[in-house]
Structures are given as C-alpha cells and as structure tokens.
Amino acid sequence: MGGDGGSLPQRVDLVRMKNKKLRENTGSLGYEKNTLVNVNQNKYNKKELREYHFNRCVISEELLKEPFFCCRLGYLYNKEHAFQLLLVKKQNKKKRKKDTFEKFAHVDSLKDLVLCKNKLNEEGKLICLISKEIINSTSGGICLFSCGCVFSKKVFNRVNISEDKMCITCNKQYKESDIIEIGVEDVALLEEKQKSIIKKRKLEKKKKDSFLQAKKEMKNNDAVK
C-alpha cells in the first residue's frame, strides 16, 4: 500500500474523519504517514494569517467594511456584527456557550468599542490617516481608543512626539492606555490584557454600585428626618 511496497495501511488511511485529512508532504509519497490535521488549518496561508487582523472582522471573518469598530485588544469589527454580539450577550447568561464568547469577554457594551474614523480603499484595505498608505502586518497599525483614529505604526511612532499627547489629526487628547496596537499575535499577552480589562470593569462597577447605595441611604435618612 505504501510507496516502498511494504507498509500496511493504518486506521487514519482507511477511516475518514470529519474536518480531518492527512498532512501534505513535499516528499515522494505526497502525504505524511499517520498524521492528521484539521482541514481549516490550511484555510489561510502564512501571509494571509499575518494580514488577517488588518482586513477582516474578527467575529464574522468577513472583509472589513465601513463603518467598523476597534476594541482595546486591537480586534476590528464590522458594525453589524459588533451590534449582534452585544445584543446576544445581553441574553440570559445561562443560555450562552462559554467558548463562543470567551474571546470577546472584554466587550460588554459600546463603551468597550471605538468607531474608527478611517476609510477603506477600493480593495477594502485599511488606510493610514496621515500617510494614506495601506496598514498591514509590515507597517503595523495603531488605533487611538480616545478618538478612533488609526495610523500606520511606523508613521505613528515618528509623529508621536507631542508631550501633550494630542492626536495629530483631530487634536483630541489621549492617554498611554489609549494607544492600541492592531494585529497582536501574542496570545498570552492578549489574554493578560483581556483579564486586566475585565478586572478594571468589575472594580468600576463595584465602585459605582457602592456610590449609588450610599446615595440611596442618604436619601432615606433625609426622608426620616
């Protein structure tokens, strides 16, 4: 059965499995022996994977189209899919599938997204507001969460010299935490950042609830008097 005439077929050679196939090899046999891979692993080549976060909606995997949003992890979202995500997340939490929303746990409302001011070119590519060049994995991308302006990372690093931290295109002030890098591939870094965002949100909610409770108690005390 094999190329040398002496090997025997194994289970992976005979039994078809959903979304699985033998890994292709450049050797004389064409496939690696007994090695299964997911079919969707070959959906994008390396170059396409590098460009993925700059050209596509992270939810639907469709090409970006105006208008679109950016979150604090640097993911880009088509408007319609961002709204759908928020709508579904408002449903009963018991009905949710944890794995489905784990990647977007940091997005709980529109406050967790910023509407990007950039335009897309005729090919649907993201364009830097300053240089008008295409933003891709080579140039890198930076989104200012305070205003939604997106720049090539190389260009932003050259012009980001103002001590006042003012956006060079709209003059809106930003903080260091508002500088969001698009297309980060470090999973551990993204997970750590996501946990930090969720923790901060919970602390802010707890602080707000405490304030409202104290305010309510003050009103009750005034009513008694």
Side-chain angles (χ1 to χ4, degrees), residues 2-222:
D4 59 358
S7 63
L8 295 175
Q10 303 295 319
R11 184 176 185 275
V12 294
D13 300 306
L14 301 175
V15 181
R16 291 187 178 182
M17 299 179 67
K18 187 177 181 180
N19 296 328
K20 298 282 186 179
K21 72 174 184 178
L22 289 171
R23 178 183 292 166
E24 296 181 13
N25 194 343
T26 55
S28 60
L29 297 181
Y31 296 91
E32 291 187 14
K33 181 181 177 182
N34 303 338
T35 306
L36 286 175
V37 295
N38 292 325
V39 174
N40 58 10
Q41 286 180 354
N42 294 328
K43 186 175 180 180
Y44 302 105
N45 59 38
K46 289 183 178 180
K47 183 178 179 180
E48 289 172 332
L49 283 172
R50 286 197 299 268
E51 302 298 330
Y52 174 86
H53 291 295
F54 297 91
N55 300 327
R56 295 182 178 272
C57 169
V58 68
I59 300 175
S60 65
E61 298 187 0
E62 295 177 3
L63 290 172
L64 278 181
K65 54 185 178 182
E66 300 173 21
F68 56 95
F69 292 91
C70 182
C71 70
R72 286 193 174 274
L73 294 188
Y75 296 143
L76 300 176
Y77 306 74
N78 284 333
K79 181 180 177 180
E80 59 180 305
H81 298 112
F83 283 0
Q84 288 174 5
L85 173 67
L86 295 175
L87 184 62
V88 173
K89 290 190 74 173
K90 286 184 178 180
Q91 295 177 354
N92 191 332
K93 292 184 179 181
K94 293 182 180 179
K95 295 181 180 180
R96 297 184 196 170
K97 292 183 179 180
K98 183 178 179 181
D99 294 341
T100 306
F101 295 97
E102 190 173 1
K103 186 175 183 178
F104 309 109
H106 60 291
V107 179
D108 205 46
S109 69
L110 279 176
K111 292 181 180 179
D112 300 312
L113 299 170
V114 62
L115 184 64
C116 297
K117 295 180 179 179
N118 298 55
K119 299 293 183 181
L120 303 174
N121 67 6
E122 295 178 354
E123 298 176 350
K125 304 293 185 181
L126 190 56
I127 301 298
C128 175
L129 285 174
I130 300 175
S131 65
K132 307 303 179 184
E133 66 179 300
I134 294 176
I135 298 175
N136 52 33
S137 60
T138 302
S139 66
I142 294 293
C143 175
L144 292 181
F145 200 83
S146 54
C147 58
C149 294
V150 183
F151 310 97
S152 157
K153 185 178 180 180
K154 291 182 178 180
V155 172
F156 181 79
N157 289 338
R158 288 201 300 266
V159 301
N160 184 32
I161 56 177
S162 172
E163 294 182 359
D164 297 331
K165 293 192 180 300
M166 304 284 286
C167 176
I168 195 169
T169 57
C170 68
N171 294 322
K172 189 169 183 178
Q173 198 163 18
Y174 63 88
K175 298 179 291 186
E176 194 68 28
S177 59
D178 290 326
I179 303 175
I180 309 300
E181 185 171 354
I182 300 172
V184 176
E185 297 180 353
D186 189 332
V187 177
L189 179 63
L190 290 172
E191 289 179 349
E192 183 180 348
K193 193 171 182 180
Q194 185 185 58
K195 289 178 181 178
S196 177
I197 293 171
I198 295 172
K199 183 179 179 180
K200 182 180 178 181
R201 185 170 64 209
K202 287 181 178 179
L203 289 173
E204 289 177 349
K205 185 178 184 303
K206 186 177 180 180
K207 185 177 180 180
K208 182 179 179 180
D209 290 343
S210 298
F211 173 77
L212 292 175
Q213 181 63 29
K215 190 175 181 180
K216 184 178 180 181
E217 290 176 356
M218 287 179 64
K219 284 186 177 181
N220 291 337
N221 292 336
D222 292 340

